[in-house]
Amino acid sequence: MKVALVGNPNTGKSSLFNLLTGLNQKVGNFPGVTVDKKIGSCRLPNQKTVEIIDLPGCYSLHPKTEDEAIVAEILSNKENPYHPDLLVVIVDVTNLKRNLLLYTQVADLGIPIILALNMADLAEEEGIDVEVDRLSRELAVQVVKISARKNENIHILKQAIADAPKNAVHHPIYEIPESSQQLLTEIQNELGVDNAYASLLMAHKHVSLKMVGNDEGDRFDAIMASHGFNSEEAQVEETLARYQYIDRLLKNTVSVKPKENRESITDKLDNILTHKVWGFVIFFFLLLLIFQAIFSWAEYPMTLIENFFAWLDDVGRNLLPAGILADLLLDGILAGLGGVLVFIPQIAILFAFIAILEDTGYMARITFLMDKLMRKVGLNGKSVVPMIGGLACAVPSIMAARNIENWKDRIITIMVTPLISCAARLPVYILLISLVVPDEKVWGVFDLRGLTLLGFYLLGVVGAVLVAWVMKGMIKGKLGSYFIMELPIYRKPRWKNVFLIMYDKVLTFVIDVGKIIIAISIVLWVAASYGPPSRMEAINTKYESPELISQHTPDELARMRSAEELENSYVGIVGKAIEPAIRPLGYDWKIGIALITSVAAREVFVGTMATIYSVEGGDDDTTNIREQMEAAVDPVTGEKVYTTATAFSLMVFYAFAMQCLSTIAVVKRETNGWKWPIIQFTYMTAMAYVASLIVYQLLR
């Protein structure tokens, strides 16, 4: 049985989904669109297992966004593979009037329903009393009071799901006007739909619904024109009728105690946290704490992971016979994976903090606070949401920009969001900062490495704001924009929810990055281990000469030979070819190889360096990537490769460069063409090159 969770945004729907499914969930996209799809399984008290589908949050079945169109499509089309057998409509009981509008719409689709009154604990604190039994009788559906945040009455909801009827027993709420009946009959005949309200939804929004093809859409237009159907007027009439019904319903079933005239805790906190001065001070202080924690808290688990991969390397060399397979597994795949997976602790800590900020309601205040700044550079207030989301990953953040109605604001947001430092940059920053920034305290309190990391995140924000300001004058748009946002009350974070978000993000990182790293590591190992036969034969001849053997120890000969073979390998030849272009930035040909491979994803830089230095180091090298890079010396100058100037130049390059094929692909899809991805890749690469050149020349 399929059970779909439906509700307005911020009603606790996702929290309920996590409670019902735990870790038994899969995340992806609905077919053909970029809307998140969450599906999991839940064991009921009768020992039966049901499939739970977490549909996107929506306010109405008259879709205005792609999320709402998906919900309308799934619920109104019985042929849709995700069409549910049962609906659990989650409403915020402290805001029943607005939430029940969606309930009254889905109730008219003839699907069995359970109404879950979430946030019952908060309603009690606010003196809101709902007569559940009477409400259940009025609606003719099961009504359950729950608190997803406190995990209260979830067992009752599971029992209600187990007891739910197979067919809807409630009656339609909205009485469709006589004037539309003939129109709906024709639509029902056209598509074979047996529900009157589903037919009315198609009449209103058939353009947004994929179940209505182009030919059928044209016939719909003709049918509606022949009946003089005015969609906008009909929607207004329907909405007013539904609110009249809701008013009568609430009058009979809900009582509210008069509120005392005093400031709530949320109001008192907002006076400080959204203050035009103190709000920013507290926000930046919190950022500083987060970035300090990323360095200080992750040190011990990072060491454990490094030691684990070193142990795997030792075990592999003892068990596997020497040869190509052992070299590929240990110097290629294991070295590449170990170089990247060691950063899991930092990523987990970053996402844990982001989840806490969202769960407490503070993230919404940050959005509100930053909105004032965004408007000064010509962005919509809604641009703040994808830009803050860009701290995690640009791909879903760019998808989130589709909720910005104004075309110009949306394009600018898409163009600048990849400049916000995402989680993929974190391994690059941490590796290079740990190489050249001393582990010292500033003023006895602040960690110098944490401050440096915070500086690079702020650099991304400043870069995004400046580019947005420039594009504001270059891109033409006619329509104005607006920003409306509901600020939730402050709440304690739900630690289980924080853990699930952290687990989901780390798992996504490991799987997505792991696949890329393994593929690139194999290609890179082959390209770094082999070269043109003539060059390899010349090296063999050189190192077999008795004269050279007599001048060096076996270890010296092995290291010299490995270095020369790498330099003359296929990857070495490519690196040497681009070296003249990147030398002014302070990079050698090995860094050049990493720049090329990390076009796929920024974090591949670390895996590439690990593979290159592992191949060069030979079989006996068990030091980690940080130690290998720290010991790297320029064979011409004899100086360290990773000086402060080179490391900062590299970090600035990665702060601005578009090193992510997934982002390019999603920008192409969201802008419906190659024009904007090409512009974006070009300007970000040029910006990265020039900024890195300036930094290197100033610090060298």
Side-chain angles (χ1 to χ4, degrees):
M1 182 169 75
K2 294 190 187 75
V3 180
L5 307 183
V6 185
N8 289 179
N10 300 318
T11 53
K13 191 166 56 62
S14 295
S15 299
L16 178 60
F17 176 76
N18 288 335
L19 282 175
L20 292 175
T21 62
L23 297 178
N24 302 315
Q25 51 180 269
K26 294 179 181 177
V27 181
N29 281 345
F30 285 104
V33 293
T34 52
V35 175
D36 285 346
K37 176 188 69 178
K38 289 184 177 179
I39 295 179
S41 60
C42 174
R43 178 66 67 89
L44 300 179
N46 59 6
Q47 301 306 310
K48 290 185 177 177
T49 300
V50 295
E51 187 177 66
I52 306 289
I53 306 170
D54 185 15
L55 293 178
C58 68
Y59 292 104
S60 166
L61 292 185
H62 297 306
K64 292 182 173 56
T65 66
E66 192 167 15
D67 287 14
E68 292 183 337
I70 284 292
V71 177
E73 170 85 20
I74 290 174
L75 298 187
S76 58
N77 180 10
K78 289 184 177 178
E79 302 301 320
N80 190 292
Y82 302 103
H83 184 77
D85 304 299
L86 174 68
L87 281 173
V88 176
V89 181
I90 298 101
V91 296
D92 175 359
V93 73
T94 65
N95 202 346
L96 263 182
K97 183 173 181 177
R98 191 196 67 198
N99 281 221
L100 282 175
L101 175 66
L102 178 65
Y103 168 84
T104 63
Q105 290 179 319
V106 298
D108 286 350
L109 291 173
I111 305 171
I113 290 182
I114 295 172
L115 180 61
L117 304 179
N118 194 21
M119 306 183 194
D121 53 327
L122 296 177
E124 189 175 342
E125 290 175 9
E126 294 186 16
I128 299 172
D129 182 32
V130 181
E131 294 182 50
V132 173
D133 292 340
R134 186 168 183 180
L135 182 61
S136 178
R137 286 196 302 275
E138 293 268 357
L139 297 174
V141 300
Q142 294 186 81
V143 179
V144 182
K145 270 187 180 179
I146 64 169
S147 173
R149 175 170 288 274
K150 293 187 175 180
N151 195 8
E152 290 178 353
N153 295 342
I154 303 303
H155 64 290
I156 299 177
L157 178 61
K158 287 183 179 179
Q159 186 62 54
I161 295 173
D163 297 338
K166 292 186 178 178
N167 298 307
V169 295
H170 59 276
H171 301 291
I173 292 171
Y174 176 58
E175 188 174 340
I176 298 174
E178 286 289 335
S179 56
S180 300
Q181 293 293 345
Q182 184 57 36
L183 165 70
L184 300 186
T185 300
E186 292 186 33
I187 291 176
Q188 287 177 279
N189 293 336
E190 184 73 28
L191 284 180
V193 180
D194 60 2
N195 181 275
Y197 188 60
S199 303
L200 184 61
L201 288 178
M202 290 172 200
H204 284 308
K205 295 292 179 182
H206 62 275
V207 176
S208 309
L209 302 178
K210 295 186 181 300
M211 62 183 289
V212 181
N214 292 333
D215 293 341
E216 290 164 332
D218 292 340
R219 290 199 293 275
F220 271 34
D221 290 335
I223 293 171
M224 288 189 290
S226 67
H227 288 275
F229 181 71
N230 187 314
S231 177
E232 289 187 7
E233 289 181 4
Q235 286 184 50
V236 172
E237 182 183 331
E238 177 193 328
T239 303
L240 289 174
R242 290 187 185 280
Y243 272 122
Q244 287 173 0
Y245 171 83
I246 293 168
D247 285 339
R248 291 196 300 272
L249 182 71
L250 296 182
K251 187 177 180 181
N252 295 331
T253 57
V254 178
S255 60
V256 183
K257 291 180 182 176
K259 289 184 179 178
E260 295 181 23
N261 189 21
R262 63 180 183 183
E263 269 191 324
S264 65
I265 294 176
T266 292
D267 292 334
K268 289 177 182 175
L269 286 173
D270 275 343
N271 288 339
I272 302 171
L273 298 179
T274 61
H275 189 271
K276 60 183 178 181
V277 176
W278 295 116
F280 285 103
V281 172
I282 293 170
F283 173 49
F284 287 114
F285 182 71
L286 278 175
L287 282 182
L288 183 57
L289 285 180
I290 291 171
F291 290 116
Q292 287 216 104
I294 287 173
F295 262 104
S296 56
W297 295 0
E299 188 174 350
Y300 183 68
M302 276 185 75
T303 304
L304 285 179
I305 295 174
E306 284 177 344
N307 292 340
F308 172 71
F309 275 93
W311 174 79
L312 279 181
D313 188 79
D314 283 340
V315 171
R317 293 191 191 285
N318 289 330
L319 295 180
L320 294 173
I324 293 177
L325 179 62
D327 290 345
L328 171 61
L329 291 176
L330 301 176
D331 294 337
I333 297 173
L334 189 66
L337 276 177
V340 173
L341 298 188
V342 71
F343 296 101
I344 283 178
Q346 284 95 340
I347 290 167
I349 292 171
L350 176 64
F351 280 108
F353 275 111
I354 290 176
I356 291 170
L357 294 181
E358 286 179 345
D359 218 35
T360 54
Y362 183 63
M363 188 66 88
R365 270 73 186 183
I366 297 173
T367 305
F368 169 76
L369 204 62
M370 297 299 288
D371 173 57
K372 297 173 184 175
L373 287 180
M374 291 296 103
R375 289 191 173 279
K376 291 181 180 177
V377 296
L379 287 173
N380 188 302
K382 291 182 179 178
S383 305
V384 180
V385 177
M387 290 179 72
I388 289 178
L391 288 171
C393 179
V395 173
S397 303
I398 286 170
M399 295 177 189
R402 67 182 53 164
N403 287 325
I404 301 172
E405 294 83 0
N406 184 282
W407 174 84
K408 176 180 175 180
D409 293 347
R410 181 166 176 258
I411 286 293
I412 294 177
T413 303
I414 289 173
M415 296 299 281
V416 303
T417 294
L419 287 169
I420 304 297
S421 286
C422 60
R425 290 176 171 99
L426 194 58
V428 181
Y429 289 159
I430 289 176
L431 176 64
L432 295 172
I433 288 173
S434 65
L435 278 178
V436 298
V437 178
D439 186 10
E440 295 176 355
K441 296 288 183 187
V442 177
W443 301 327
V445 179
F446 300 113
D447 186 288
L448 183 57
R449 290 178 170 179
L451 282 173
T452 308
L453 183 61
L454 174 60
F456 275 98
Y457 273 78
L458 293 179
L459 178 66
V461 174
V462 171
V465 169
L466 287 176
V467 172
W469 180 73
V470 172
M471 287 188 172
K472 172 188 170 186
M474 296 176 68
I475 300 176
K476 304 299 179 187
K478 295 179 180 177
L479 298 177
S481 59
Y482 59 90
F483 176 55
I484 300 174
M485 185 172 191
E486 182 181 353
L487 295 180
I489 63 171
Y490 291 102
R491 300 162 181 160
K492 293 179 183 175
R494 294 157 295 178
W495 298 112
K496 184 177 180 181
N497 200 44
V498 171
F499 169 76
L500 284 173
I501 291 174
M502 199 168 62
Y503 170 81
D504 177 60
K505 298 299 182 186
V506 169
L507 189 66
T508 302
F509 172 79
V510 170
I511 293 175
D512 290 353
V513 174
K515 287 186 290 189
I516 298 173
I517 294 293
I518 288 176
I520 290 181
S521 294
I522 292 173
V523 173
L524 197 61
W525 177 84
V526 172
S529 300
Y530 297 93
S534 59
R535 293 195 183 198
M536 293 295 123
E537 287 173 9
I539 293 173
N540 284 336
T541 305
K542 176 181 175 181
Y543 284 91
E544 287 173 358
S545 81
E547 186 179 350
L548 195 64
I549 294 173
S550 65
Q551 293 174 353
H552 300 279
T553 65
D555 287 345
E556 287 174 339
L557 278 177
R559 185 167 292 280
M560 289 165 59
R561 180 171 182 154
S562 294
E564 198 161 334
E565 284 177 342
L566 178 63
E567 195 169 344
N568 287 279
S569 65
Y570 291 113
V571 75
I573 293 170
V574 173
K576 288 283 184 181
I578 66 168
E579 192 172 25
I582 59 176
R583 263 295 174 194
L585 310 183
Y587 309 157
D588 66 3
W589 58 273
K590 295 175 191 169
I591 298 176
I593 294 167
L595 293 182
I596 293 172
T597 56
S598 62
V599 169
R602 295 176 180 93
E603 59 271 42
V604 171
F605 169 83
V606 181
T608 300
M609 299 310 292
T611 301
I612 289 175
Y613 281 104
S614 183
V615 170
E616 185 185 47
D619 293 346
D620 296 332
D621 198 322
T622 56
T623 55
N624 64 45
I625 178 60
R626 280 185 291 184
E627 292 168 341
Q628 290 170 328
M629 291 174 68
E630 196 167 18
V633 174
D634 189 315
V636 178
T637 63
E639 297 177 352
K640 279 190 171 184
V641 172
Y642 296 95
T643 62
T644 301
T646 301
F648 273 78
S649 170
L650 255 179
M651 286 189 280
V652 169
F653 184 89
Y654 276 95
F656 293 143
M658 171 58 94
Q659 301 285 99
C660 182
L661 288 180
S662 300
T663 302
I664 293 172
V666 80
V667 171
K668 188 259 178 185
R669 183 165 61 180
E670 295 296 310
T671 58
N672 199 27
W674 281 107
K675 174 186 171 184
W676 293 108
I678 291 172
I679 291 174
Q680 190 176 45
F681 181 82
T682 305
Y683 98 74
M684 289 182 68
T685 304
M687 189 173 167
Y689 189 92
V690 173
S692 302
L693 178 65
I694 293 171
V695 168
Y696 179 72
Q697 296 301 327
L698 287 176
L699 296 180
R700 61 183 298 192

